[in-house]
Amino acid sequence: MTTEQPLLRVSNLAKYYGSRLGCADVSFELWPGEVLAIVGESGSGKTTLLNSLSATLEPSAGETLYRMRDGQWRNIYDLSEAERRFLVRTDWGFVHQNPADGLRMTVSAGANVGERLMAVGDRHYGNIRATALDWLGRVEIAADRIDDQPRSFSGGMRQRLQIARNLVTGPRLVFMDEPTGGLDVSVQARLLDLLRGLVGELGLAAIVVTHDLAVARLLSHRMMVMKDGHVIEAGLTDRVLDDPREPYTQLLVSSILQV
Amino acid sequence: MTALSVQNLSKTFTMHLRDGVVLPVVANVNFHVEPGECVVLGGPSGAGKSSILKMVYGNYGVDAGAITIQHHGEAVDLATADPRTVLTLRRDSIGYVSQFLRTVPRVSALDVVAEPLVIRGVDKTEAQGRARELLARLNLPERLWSLPPATFSGGEQQRVNIARGFITDHPVLLLDEPTASLDATNRAVVVAMIGEKKAQGVALLGIFHDEEVRAQVADRIIDVTAFAPRIAA
């Protein structure tokens, strides 16, 4: 949080599917090193928003400006296809809920990580393999699995591999869509701890979509609560969770089961 | 220069799930804490002591009023600050020892304690060294240091939490019943640590139900019942 400029500026973003509302009136800034959680129930527009922000789904209105590595502010939907692909492959990461959507299931774990390195121009096989090995270690995948395909991995291992694949290029911004969804709780805990450590260590900015408020509490600095396509409450994560203002946020917080 | 000053603070909760019933918590809260001073919030349970601490740390929003904190030589109003500013205030200027430790799966007690220093850019080995000193001083058995505190007893968790809160040199430190589940030996350690913070010029604001501890640490006691909101008929 020493940098004096945000990384992302979103103003009045809206996405309609025909006449049906996906999300609307979304405005916020994201700063380097900041983790923003987007919470809300299924159908509240979280994923639509995430896809609109990550150059995956062109919004119907509004602006998403990103500060490129050269300091230039660019509207992500005005980039050329080549520029956009470069951004998506290097400066950004996207961690999908289902690892199969973010991995190539029929190439080795090492190649899954190495592929992103090659996209930034690394051509030295020895370096690529060494970096891949280092990253597998950081996400706690044993070195002797480097030549195995993710098809043979458990759900938790696949998700950790997807994270390694995304972080290997040193992105500045990572989008995550329910990164712990579909994993059993002990695996979730391991993944959360790993993500929390990596995000802090690398100073990443991240936007995490989750319906799990405990995940939001653990990972994020700030959160936005969505309902019916609109952001109904936003603020510091522990302020929103400890002192929720809106009826819907109060309902969400009071619905958490105590263990 | 006043380290922490609270002016005309008021807070109500609106319980939307209970037909919008409005619970007034406190109104017209005014006090200040000077460097080197330990001010204790007094009053019975439910008077709003913890709510005031949570507002001062930014966990609770406020309806009205200002919370002015000295931050790098500048007075910053936490009550109206944006989330990013609140996080910077917490990193550098205001610390908080909560009543209960919020445990994180798989993170060791040592790293829980060292974390506030690591966030401030201190080298990890050095931060862990400081964490070891504090945990040893608080008599937490060394065999527990590498374990996540989730399975620790209440008193053990509280000592981890105290070590975490005391490891930094925040000029303002909030304490929510830090001695509640401690034995006499460890209570004395915490009282001594509070004394050292005061000597270093830290401004402390705390809640202490234990009268003996309160008598030992408090420079002033603020009666929170004076801030009871007048219920509108």
Side-chain angles (χ1 to χ4, degrees):
Chain A
M1 265 177 272
T2 47
T3 328
E4 285 307 311
Q5 273 200 63
L7 200 56
L8 193 69
R9 279 194 177 127
V10 180
S11 40
N12 301 311
L13 197 76
K15 173 67 188 173
Y16 290 89
Y17 300 97
S19 61
R20 197 164 53 81
L21 170 73
C23 63
D25 303 325
V26 179
S27 299
F28 68 92
E29 287 182 342
L30 187 74
W31 294 72
E34 197 173 44
V35 180
L36 171 72
I38 304 175
V39 305
E41 62 196 355
S42 305
S44 59
K46 310 187 293 283
T47 300
T48 295
L49 175 59
L50 192 73
N51 288 336
S52 298
L53 295 172
S54 58
T56 323
L57 182 70
E58 182 146 10
S60 316
E63 217 176 36
T64 304
L65 299 176
Y66 181 70
R67 183 163 54 84
M68 309 290 278
R69 281 187 191 247
D70 63 6
Q72 296 286 316
W73 283 95
R74 299 289 299 274
N75 185 329
I76 59 167
Y77 288 96
D78 289 344
L79 298 172
S80 71
E81 184 56 21
E83 287 175 313
R84 199 186 61 84
R85 285 175 75 98
F86 188 76
L87 196 65
V88 168
R89 283 180 181 173
T90 60
D91 214 23
W92 287 3
F94 199 113
V95 176
H96 297 266
Q97 174 171 7
N98 180 357
D101 294 339
L103 291 172
R104 295 221 285 142
M105 299 302 281
T106 54
V107 304
S108 71
N112 262 289
V113 178
E115 194 177 41
R116 286 262 298 191
L117 282 175
M118 289 170 71
V120 290
D122 204 331
R123 288 289 177 270
H124 188 283
Y125 177 78
N127 287 346
I128 291 174
R129 192 170 171 90
T131 309
L133 204 58
D134 174 51
W135 268 96
L136 292 181
R138 290 170 84 162
V139 298
E140 303 173 7
I141 293 175
D144 64 2
R145 302 301 301 268
I146 188 168
D147 294 318
D148 294 347
Q149 294 177 6
R151 284 193 302 186
S152 68
F153 286 6
S154 68
M157 277 174 82
R158 288 179 187 183
Q159 196 57 296
R160 281 180 274 133
L161 180 62
Q162 193 191 183
I163 288 163
R165 176 180 160 95
N166 273 283
L167 298 188
V168 69
T169 54
R172 294 190 299 160
L173 173 59
V174 179
F175 301 94
M176 303 187 207
D177 189 5
E178 303 277 7
T180 60
L183 300 175
D184 67 56
V185 285
S186 63
V187 178
Q188 263 194 32
R190 184 175 186 187
L191 192 77
L192 280 173
D193 169 37
L194 196 78
L195 272 176
R196 191 170 167 273
L198 289 172
V199 166
E201 206 176 292
L202 304 171
L204 293 175
I207 301 180
V208 184
V209 159
T210 179
H211 65 269
D212 187 333
L213 297 182
V215 169
R217 164 94 75 178
L218 208 59
L219 286 182
S220 71
H221 301 111
R222 214 150 51 88
M223 66 193 265
M224 301 199 303
V225 182
M226 293 195 72
K227 185 175 192 298
D228 302 330
H230 292 270
V231 174
I232 55 157
E233 186 161 0
L236 197 67
T237 295
D238 51 26
R239 204 286 293 156
V240 174
L241 293 177
D242 294 346
D243 183 17
R245 304 292 183 78
E246 292 297 317
Y248 177 67
T249 317
Q250 292 188 355
L251 177 67
L252 270 186
V253 172
S254 69
S255 305
I256 304 173
L257 298 175
Q258 299 276 334
V259 182
Chain B
M1 190 129 30
T2 304
L4 165 68
S5 139
V6 170
Q7 301 119 23
N8 302 317
L9 206 61
S10 67
K11 172 76 183 164
T12 54
F13 285 115
T14 306
M15 319 291 276
H16 291 288
L17 306 180
R18 299 283 174 273
D19 301 322
V21 60
V22 175
L23 294 177
V25 184
V26 286
N28 291 313
V29 181
N30 283 288
F31 65 86
H32 59 94
V33 187
E34 303 298 326
E37 184 182 40
C38 181
V39 171
V40 171
L41 298 173
S45 290
K49 302 185 296 293
S50 277
S51 292
I52 291 174
L53 274 196
K54 285 177 176 158
M55 284 188 271
V56 172
Y57 198 59
N59 278 41
Y60 284 179
V62 308
D63 299 342
I67 299 163
T68 312
I69 292 166
Q70 282 299 319
H71 177 61
H72 299 307
E74 220 180 302
V76 178
D77 179 15
L78 183 137
T80 54
D82 60 32
R84 227 175 128 253
T85 307
V86 175
L87 290 172
T88 319
L89 285 168
R90 288 181 181 181
R91 191 191 60 201
D92 297 339
S93 300
I94 182 165
Y96 177 45
V97 178
S98 57
Q99 200 170 356
F100 301 104
L101 178 68
R102 188 177 289 283
T103 61
V104 178
R106 298 213 316 161
V107 179
S108 72
L110 197 65
D111 285 337
V112 168
V113 176
E115 191 181 54
L117 283 185
V118 174
I119 289 173
R120 302 174 100 191
V122 175
D123 170 71
K124 193 165 179 187
T125 321
E126 191 188 326
Q128 286 182 338
R130 284 281 298 132
R132 278 196 188 87
E133 285 168 26
L134 278 164
L135 289 174
R137 186 167 180 200
L138 287 157
N139 303 304
L140 191 79
E142 195 169 340
R143 63 189 156 75
L144 297 179
W145 295 359
S146 60
L147 302 176
T151 54
F152 291 7
S153 73
E156 287 162 350
Q157 289 196 1
Q158 191 161 41
R159 279 176 279 159
V160 172
N161 214 16
I162 291 166
R164 179 183 161 91
F166 276 76
I167 198 166
T168 51
D169 52 3
H170 286 118
V172 178
L173 188 57
L174 310 176
L175 306 169
D176 193 351
E177 294 216 53
T179 57
S181 18
L182 299 186
D183 59 28
T185 313
N186 287 308
R187 267 203 308 275
V189 173
V190 175
V191 168
M193 285 168 63
I194 291 172
E196 287 159 27
K197 286 284 182 195
K198 289 205 286 190
Q200 288 160 19
V202 173
L204 296 115
L205 175 66
I207 301 171
F208 297 90
H209 279 303
D210 184 319
E211 282 178 30
E212 201 185 311
V213 172
R214 186 163 55 196
Q216 285 172 295
V217 300
D219 294 301
R220 278 191 291 137
I221 294 176
I222 294 171
D223 180 8
V224 170
T225 56
F227 308 134
R230 282 176 198 88
I231 315 281

